[in-house]
Amino acid sequence: MQAWQKWGAALALGALLGTAQAQILVGQTAGLSGVVGPGVQETAAGARLFIDAVNAKGGVNGQKIELIAMDDKFDPKTAGENARVLIEDRKVHVMFLTRGTPHTEAIIPHLDKHGVALVGPSTGAMVLHQPVRKHVFNVRATYQREAEKAMAHLASLGMTRIAVLYADDSFGADGVAGAQKGLAQARLEPVVLEKFNRAQPDFAPPAAKIAQAQAQAVMIIGSGTTVVDGYAALRKAGSTAQLVTLSNNASNGFIKSLGEHARGVIVSQVFPNERSLGYPMVREAIELNKARGQGDVSPAMLEGFAAAKVLVEGLRRAGPKPTREKIQTALESIQQLDLGGLFVSYGENDHTGLDFADLSIIGADGKFRR
């Protein structure tokens, strides 16, 4: 049984047993199943690595942390309803590690209504950074920074015919803004620029245009299996373009879903190389994962691990009797928190988190290479 499957089984058991033994309740709504399921499971497994280690040592200020997760199947409306249930019915102290831009936007009204902080949304949407969302504490860098960096890289390789496909939602609009900025800085225009239906994409028409334009590279701003389907359509249309996508797909599950087409795909990253022992945070995650007898740490796991570190620090600063208000204040007091080679600071007017962005390519061995 895979680590994420064990984690999912533990969640189901926890739901049956209730929360009688829990002292600090942390709520999560994310697409545990569906198109982003594998990546979400990996991110959650990374968070669990750190939370379980903290609980094994007595918890935070003597209190154990319980993560109550609900599957929104990557549907924004369901995400909003899940958040309401977690906040109003389950009485969680804080929300954690949501997935998706429109999904996170759907829960913000509930955060604002009840004064509940959200730590580490797994999205790099600029809309969650500017203007500052009072109750949202980002950890990872923005999609715009990733997309801009990827375009600059392609241009530096001498590529001039670059296409961009993006989902017709706030995530897609955000990512394409960064891509266009990067292209403009390189004095380039996309040879094809089209959006696709997030729920029911039809990639055949844009794939034909991209093949006809002889694009050298194409960035697909989408999630999980949607990007895989888009890539397959490109190959079917005869395009040999280099595929580029964003860090929301930086998971081992995404690599597996690409199958034989995985090699050579560029995926932007918002954390250091998952095998870079020069970063104490990476080394810590690897050691904890190894102690569990599990496989390699993935970029998605590192994102969850880092978010959990911020969460725990906020809970620690909130004191032995944390309230929603105390947690909010505690998070805003964080300055130069060392996650293990990466530093996070917040303030009343700054909930940005990290600004780290890099690029990776999937190697012949099915692993991300920098």
Side-chain angles (χ1 to χ4, degrees), residues 17-33:
L17 295 178
T19 60
Q21 296 179 336
Q23 291 172 293
I24 302 177
L25 302 182
V26 178
Q28 179 192 26
T29 175
L32 297 168
S33 64

Side-chain angles (χ1 to χ4, degrees), residues 83-94:
R84 186 199 66 76
V85 170
L86 289 165
I87 292 171
E88 295 183 1
D89 300 340
R90 302 302 298 270
K91 308 297 184 184
V92 298
H93 294 85
V94 60

Side-chain angles (χ1 to χ4, degrees), residues 112-124:
D112 293 342
K113 179 180 179 180
H114 298 283
V116 178
L118 164 64
V119 177
S122 187
T123 165

